[in-house]
Amino acid sequence: MSKLNETDIQGFVLRGYNLPFARYLFLHFEDSARARALVGRLLPVITTGQRWDHGKPQSTANIAFTHRGLAAFDLPEATLLSFPVEFLQGMKDRAAILGDTGINAPEHWDKLWLDNHVHAWLGINGQSPEAVDARCSQIQALMQETGGAMQLAWQDAAAIMDDGKPTSREHFGYTDGFGNPDYLGVERSTQPGQGKLMPDGTWAPLATGELLLGYADEAGELPVAPVPHILACNGTFMVYRKLHQNLATFRAYLEERSAQYGGGMEKLAAKFIGRWRDGTPVELSPDWPDPAIVQDPNRNTNFTYGADPQGTRCPIGAHVRRVHPRDAFGFNGRLIDRRRITRRGLPYGRPVPEGEPASDAEDRGIVFMALNASLSRQFEFVQQQWIEYGNDAHQGNDKDMLIGNHRGHGKFVVQGDLSATNPPFLCTHLPNFVELRGGDYFFLPSITALGMIAMGLVDPR
Amino acid sequence: MSNINGKVYAMNAITPMKPWKTWVVRAIFFTLGHVKSLQQDLINLSFIEFARWVVVPRQRFPYLGNGQVKEDLKYDYLLFFSNFNGTWNQYIDAFSAVLSNGLNLVWRWSEKFPGSVPVTLFKEYIARVQFDTDYYFTAYPHATANDLKSAHIVQASLDSLVQRAPNCTPEEFRSAYLNFVIQVQAHLGDTGEAPVIF
Amino acid sequence: MPNQNGSVYGLTILSPIINDERATPSHDLQIRNYLATVPTGEGSPFALAPGTHLARLVVMDDVIYVGSPSIEEHLHSKYLVFESNCDGDLDSYLLGLATAVPQHLDAIWSHCVGYPGAANPQAFAAYMKACQIETTFYFAAVNDKSVPETLRALQTQRAVSDFIARHQGMNAALLQAEFAQFATRLKSEPLPASGSMGPLRGLKTGGRNE
């Protein structure tokens, strides 16, 4: 695998920018010629995967399209029909498959998503709110000049701050952002535990084709992709989900249940997801958080579950064990290597410090974005089989404790041992700690493909 | 008419084999059947409830007279019937990812078998030789193979606690009960509806 | 004996379907039409008769042509495939079917060549065995439990899960008493119906909120 052409790949795909402020614009195209003109004008503004030799820029901009958005450019039918069916349908029509039912069903989503008008996502990240504003104004000016797109809505998001410094915490207080995989050819400070498990116990990067179209994947073939090849190559698919967090419900549930739990509140919180709230993996340190582990890149993602089949350290149904099972399903992890996703995103809404009153009704949550070569094989599989169902983890119909659509009936077993501080414990009547408020599937093209779209030069073969 | 009932999927496949190769396949299955360690991967895969391969030699299609015309075939046929949990794609993906050697050993004697890796060619072949189920029954549509194994563990643990309990003091019972909970704690997943097939 | 794996039996039957050009619709379609109406849940003939874990009925229209350079060939008959994963002894299983659900069997197999009817269970069993093909390799994830044992275990698992949840932190003497009651109730609980979605959450497991 030679080095990837970073100048042709959108930067958002290759790296988490680690910029604390973001605004996501949702656009609608009204006229194909004007929309193409806008894309042409945006091209020089789009942030690529090129290394930042002169330090981080003040802000970045990236763009992705729904299937309806691509159709609005008048791409050839043969090309439009060659996209995978789940992308053609969009996330709303996949609700039953994804378990987005009940309170998470599309009829409860933000109005933005209800009438299928979203054609494009334009993601802006910045070092400060002013930098985001400035970039946003620049792009809005281009939209006005070309008349290429109408802005339907926007979503602001920002890292939760500690004394003015951005943290990687989310609203429930957990440290987030450990899980992203390494891929062949993607330059990144790699660390053990982030790729795939090898027979000798070491970790290696995943095949590039698990993230990018046009490269071999873990099955030793090119991922399913639209035609022509050049439109697909160096592109990827993105999931956007606005996940509302019921902070009051979460805190009340944790407090109430931990009153009966021998390990105490923080340990129960850690058992829920498999990491202490500071990020320490429970598998490595089952009894207390250990900042030394969190800060050590050689340890904070470097663990397996093979020695803990009963879940007495990290519960079998804990969130991180479900969504990244490592070796938990046997076969040295080979059953999971084609189910990995790359996560992006930031919290939105006002954070509420521990101890201050919080309400579920306030607009607060996380913008979850995931990148993968195949929406159905990767994101949808994880969402359906590992979050909304538990058979692979030998947990029957039990759902993911943290983000499952429980409807008040959920159950989570904290496995334990004979000690008083690590007893077996059942959490029942789980409510929805998280609710879906909308989203869709997007195609994030390469710079070359954006150019082809702008010029109206896409041939199906 | 459906290949699906609750949490199980019924797959049927038929592939032609040159008759001399049938003997190789029989020998392979004989070995597989008698050396249990070779079945370990199938067991570990854990989402197959029952599966079988049936060799039908070309002169051995049931013939019952009564006006039935005798078959006149050049190939022997290998039938495959599987009862698995999860989606078709998940099943074939997993087969290809972790059982490719075993599958190649069994199916490479069938005409036009492309090998079980890469997976897309393998899927195309399976899709071509698969035929659909008219009627499918399971005694426990709400359970997977994993659910069944868990349930049997819980039953055995409960039976043993029920036997002990009457002879225990409350304190002895408390300790026996805690041990019981620890025995079953990884096997308490709910049974119920299957996810939507996709 | 590859048909048997532990205490479960892998039965494979191919019954030739009558090929009569005067029949409308053809016999294979009549089987298909009938099968489409047979209940697949607890009303299934395989739920009413004892001993079936999983079973399927498939009209096999023909062998499949896999493309050049292999030879294209066709069957003279269509076959009704009966694949069953059942408990124990084949004879008692077949006699059990003939005794419990003869109307269903007749409605299905009367379209097959030489079918004697299920009114005489011995003749039915003999016919089925004449159509049997020996299974070459048979895998069973669980091979030592009968259908009733399995249904019982699934019921127990659900009840135990509820019991544990409702008795967390209870004092030892009370726990012991509640457990004794629970064990007695569970034992006298009727088996959930084969083919059903399992026990309802009706069983009282004591503890909090009850």
Side-chain angles (χ1 to χ4, degrees):
Chain A
M1 172 79 232
S2 55
K3 196 163 157 290
L4 299 172
N5 181 356
E6 295 171 337
T7 61
D8 192 43
I9 301 167
Q10 293 202 49
F12 192 76
V13 182
L14 294 185
R15 54 189 107 255
Y17 291 133
N18 217 1
L19 292 165
F21 298 93
R23 180 169 299 156
Y24 309 112
L25 309 181
F26 297 99
L27 311 183
H28 179 80
F29 303 133
E30 284 172 324
D31 172 86
S32 60
R34 282 184 278 137
R36 287 197 296 266
L38 172 65
V39 172
R41 296 287 300 280
L42 281 171
L43 256 179
V45 182
I46 299 298
T47 308
T48 72
Q50 234 178 330
R51 290 186 66 82
W52 294 331
D53 294 327
H54 308 292
K56 263 187 203 183
Q58 279 298 309
S59 64
T60 61
N62 292 99
I63 193 161
F65 308 105
T66 61
H67 192 263
R68 287 177 299 278
L70 293 174
F73 293 120
D74 287 341
L75 296 190
E77 284 296 323
T79 290
L80 290 170
L81 288 171
S82 66
F83 279 90
V85 63
E86 69 276 10
F87 178 66
L88 267 141
Q89 287 188 287
M91 194 170 80
K92 203 163 62 172
D93 287 355
R94 305 286 281 182
I97 289 167
L98 299 172
D100 294 339
T101 53
I103 191 78
N104 288 351
E107 69 251 36
H108 300 295
W109 293 4
D110 292 346
K111 196 178 164 307
L112 165 68
W113 304 103
L114 297 188
D115 42 17
N116 297 332
H117 283 169
V118 175
H119 285 166
W121 163 95
L122 211 154
I124 298 167
N125 282 73
Q127 302 211 20
S128 63
E130 296 74 30
V132 170
D133 280 341
R135 178 64 65 126
C136 194
S137 309
Q138 177 196 19
I139 286 168
Q140 281 162 340
L142 291 177
M143 282 160 51
Q144 285 210 320
E145 279 171 40
T146 55
M150 189 169 83
Q151 184 178 313
L152 300 173
W154 75 91
Q155 173 71 52
D156 278 346
I160 294 175
M161 299 289 174
D162 241 3
D163 294 331
K165 280 206 201 106
T167 70
S168 47
R169 276 202 318 275
E170 51 69 62
H171 289 292
F172 293 154
Y174 295 105
T175 307
D176 199 1
F178 289 98
N180 279 341
D182 291 327
Y183 301 94
L184 272 177
V186 178
E187 266 192 67
R188 172 171 182 245
S189 49
T190 66
Q191 59 182 71
Q194 288 187 327
K196 61 176 171 181
L197 192 57
M198 302 304 283
D200 64 359
T202 61
W203 296 83
L206 288 168
T208 317
E210 295 298 317
L211 174 67
L212 285 168
L213 303 181
Y215 302 87
D217 65 20
E218 283 293 329
E221 60 185 15
L222 299 183
V224 178
V227 292
H229 181 73
I230 193 170
L231 180 77
C233 189
N234 283 336
T236 188
F237 290 100
M238 181 180 91
V239 184
Y240 181 98
R241 284 165 84 81
K242 181 182 175 188
L243 300 176
H244 174 82
Q245 291 177 272
N246 289 320
L247 183 56
T249 296
F250 176 80
R251 286 181 178 173
Y253 188 89
L254 177 60
E255 200 178 311
E256 183 200 312
R257 296 295 157 141
S258 61
Q260 306 164 30
Y261 176 64
M265 185 159 97
E266 278 311 306
K267 191 173 199 169
L268 189 59
K271 295 279 190 183
F272 284 176
I273 77 147
R275 285 184 184 269
W276 295 84
R277 289 209 256 200
D278 75 340
T280 310
V282 168
E283 193 56 44
L284 293 180
S285 178
D287 296 316
W288 45 74
D290 182 350
I293 298 178
V294 180
Q295 279 143 32
D296 183 351
N298 282 313
R299 290 201 285 165
N300 67 25
T301 58
N302 191 10
F303 54 92
T304 51
Y305 300 110
D308 185 19
Q310 293 289 306
T312 43
R313 292 163 78 91
C314 179
I316 297 171
H319 175 69
V320 301
R321 187 165 174 162
R322 274 176 173 265
V323 297
H324 183 193
R326 298 167 188 263
D327 62 335
F329 303 162
F331 298 101
N332 206 47
R334 270 179 300 155
L335 286 175
I336 71 151
D337 293 341
R338 301 184 75 222
R339 314 291 183 191
R340 304 298 312 285
I341 55 175
T342 287
R343 267 194 58 197
R344 301 282 184 250
L346 284 168
Y348 68 88
R350 187 180 68 89
V352 182
E354 205 70 43
E356 286 179 24
S359 131
D360 288 345
E362 285 174 320
D363 193 35
R364 172 184 300 117
I366 198 153
V367 173
F368 169 97
M369 290 175 285
L371 303 168
N372 47 203
S374 167
L375 290 160
S376 63
R377 172 165 57 78
Q378 294 167 280
F379 164 72
E380 289 190 335
F381 183 89
V382 171
Q383 173 68 26
Q384 181 189 76
Q385 293 284 319
W386 294 353
I387 290 173
E388 289 296 308
Y389 189 53
N391 186 53
D392 280 354
H394 296 243
Q395 295 292 286
N397 284 58
D398 291 359
K399 302 173 187 214
D400 184 283
M401 155 83 206
L402 194 70
I403 57 178
N405 188 6
H406 300 294
R407 304 161 181 231
H409 308 303
K411 169 169 116 274
F412 171 62
V413 184
V414 180
Q415 287 87 16
D417 53 34
L418 293 169
S419 72
T421 55
N422 192 34
F425 187 67
L426 263 64
C427 294
T428 53
H429 300 96
L430 287 174
N432 283 36
F433 299 117
V434 170
E435 291 171 18
L436 177 64
R437 291 290 159 84
D440 211 337
Y441 294 155
F442 294 85
F443 176 60
L444 226 146
S446 70
I447 304 298
T448 300
L450 285 172
M452 291 163 60
I453 290 169
M455 290 184 287
L457 295 176
V458 177
D459 305 325
R461 280 287 179 219
Chain B
M1 166 136 192
S2 173
N3 296 319
I4 298 159
N5 187 346
K7 288 183 174 178
V8 265
Y9 187 108
M11 175 182 279
N12 318 296
I14 181 167
T15 53
M17 288 183 299
K18 295 202 169 96
W20 68 268
K21 296 183 178 176
T22 301
W23 296 103
V24 185
V25 172
R26 283 192 188 281
I28 289 165
F29 279 125
F30 183 84
T31 313
L32 199 56
H34 286 78
V35 186
K36 292 290 172 204
S37 61
L38 297 176
Q39 296 178 28
Q40 205 53 45
D41 279 348
L42 268 178
I43 294 165
N44 291 346
L45 215 40
S46 89
F47 48 71
I48 303 163
E49 293 188 17
F50 298 97
R52 72 183 71 171
W53 277 275
V54 183
V55 171
V56 188
R58 62 200 190 288
Q59 311 97 338
R60 297 285 289 281
F61 279 78
Y63 174 69
L64 299 178
N66 293 301
Q68 184 193 353
V69 181
K70 253 197 151 126
E71 301 298 348
D72 171 24
L73 299 166
K74 299 277 190 300
Y75 291 120
D76 289 349
Y77 283 86
L78 179 61
L79 287 166
F80 174 62
F81 300 104
S82 177
N83 302 272
F84 63 86
N85 310 129
T87 71
W88 190 94
N89 274 307
Q90 175 185 18
Y91 181 66
I92 312 261
D93 281 336
F95 258 21
S96 170
V98 302
L99 283 184
S100 62
N101 290 336
L103 294 184
N104 288 343
L105 204 59
V106 167
W107 262 314
R108 63 181 294 187
W109 316 99
S110 288
E111 294 295 294
K112 301 284 281 181
F113 182 65
S116 55
V117 173
V119 69
T120 298
L121 289 177
F122 178 49
K123 282 182 182 173
E124 280 170 11
Y125 186 76
I126 295 293
R128 186 170 313 144
V129 299
Q130 184 179 349
F131 54 108
D132 293 299
T133 304
D134 285 278
Y135 178 83
Y136 193 27
F137 169 79
T138 164
Y140 25 81
H142 58 306
T144 65
N146 286 338
D147 297 334
L148 298 177
K149 290 179 194 165
S150 288
H152 291 309
I153 290 170
V154 173
Q155 182 74 62
S157 305
L158 179 76
D159 289 346
S160 114
L161 182 63
V162 167
Q163 277 208 325
R164 277 195 64 189
N167 309 316
C168 288
T169 65
E171 277 317 304
E172 285 166 354
F173 178 77
R174 185 214 292 282
S175 149
Y177 181 79
L178 177 58
N179 275 299
F180 160 72
V181 174
I182 288 171
Q183 278 168 29
V184 303
Q185 64 182 353
H187 308 287
L188 296 177
D190 268 359
T191 46
E193 299 279 339
V196 173
I197 293 289
F198 76 109
Chain C
M1 171 105 158
N3 287 332
Q4 193 98 28
N5 188 333
S7 64
V8 285
Y9 191 97
L11 176 62
T12 313
I13 283 172
L14 264 66
S15 304
I17 298 171
I18 298 169
N19 187 357
D20 179 356
E21 287 174 5
R22 291 160 305 172
T24 43
S26 59
H27 286 285
D28 54 303
L29 287 189
Q30 291 190 49
I31 296 179
R32 284 217 150 112
N33 292 343
Y34 183 74
L35 289 177
T37 67
V38 179
T40 55
E42 46 196 287
S44 164
F46 299 103
L48 302 175
T52 307
H53 289 265
L54 281 82
R56 74 186 72 177
L57 288 161
V58 185
V59 173
M60 188 171 91
D61 288 316
D62 203 346
V63 293
I64 290 171
Y65 174 53
V66 290
S68 173
S70 79
I71 305 159
E72 181 185 354
E73 62 179 358
H74 298 283
L75 295 174
H76 290 304
S77 299
K78 297 175 191 292
Y79 292 83
L80 174 62
V81 180
F82 175 36
E83 184 252 19
S84 177
N85 305 273
C86 54
D87 281 330
D89 173 65
L90 179 59
D91 281 298
S92 38
Y93 176 66
L94 292 173
L95 295 177
L97 280 175
T99 312
V101 289
Q103 323 84 311
H104 280 300
L105 300 175
D106 288 350
I108 298 164
W109 266 278
S110 61
H111 300 287
C112 293
V113 177
Y115 177 70
N120 177 346
Q122 304 294 342
F124 171 80
Y127 166 82
M128 285 304 204
K129 287 201 268 187
C131 298
Q132 186 182 6
I133 312 253
E134 189 178 71
T135 295
T136 314
F137 176 78
Y138 185 37
F139 172 81
V142 178
N143 70 356
D144 60 349
K145 296 289 190 289
S146 68
V147 172
E149 285 170 326
T150 306
L151 296 171
R152 169 76 66 199
L154 287 163
Q155 178 183 45
T156 297
Q157 182 203 35
R158 186 171 289 188
V160 162
S161 169
D162 287 351
F163 181 87
I164 294 172
R166 289 172 183 278
H167 293 80
Q168 302 194 104
M170 185 170 281
N171 83 58
L174 193 53
L175 178 66
Q176 187 172 19
E178 295 244 332
F179 179 80
Q181 282 179 25
F182 164 69
T184 312
R185 267 197 306 269
L186 186 59
K187 211 171 165 186
S188 63
E189 196 73 6
L191 264 193
S194 171
S196 73
M197 285 304 281
L200 297 173
R201 272 237 143 80
L203 178 63
K204 293 228 181 296
T205 54
R208 291 171 227 284
N209 311 325
E210 265 186 24

